Coordinates of all heavy atoms in Angstrom, one line a residue:
K48 N 13.3 47.2 -27.8 CA 13.2 45.9 -28.4 C 14.6 45.2 -28.5 O 14.8 44.1 -28.1 CB 12.7 46.0 -29.8 CG 11.3 46.7 -29.9 CD 10.7 46.8 -31.3 CE 11.6 47.6 -32.3 NZ 11.6 49.0 -31.9
T49 N 15.6 46.0 -29.0 CA 17.0 45.5 -29.1 C 17.6 45.2 -27.7 O 18.2 44.1 -27.5 CB 17.9 46.4 -29.9 OG1 17.4 46.6 -31.2 CG2 19.3 46.0 -29.9
D167 N 16.8 40.5 -35.1 CA 16.5 41.9 -34.8 C 16.5 42.7 -36.1 O 17.6 43.0 -36.6 CB 17.6 42.4 -33.8 CG 17.2 43.8 -33.3 OD1 16.2 44.4 -33.7 OD2 18.0 44.4 -32.5
E168 N 15.4 43.1 -36.5 CA 15.2 43.8 -37.8 C 16.0 43.2 -38.9 O 16.6 43.8 -39.7 CB 15.7 45.3 -37.6 CG 15.0 46.0 -36.5 CD 13.6 46.6 -36.8 OE1 13.1 46.3 -37.9 OE2 13.1 47.3 -36.0
Ligands
LIG2 MG1 16.6 48.1 -32.1

Side-chain angles (χ1 to χ4, degrees):
K48 306 181 297 295
T49 296
D167 188 1
E168 304 281 6

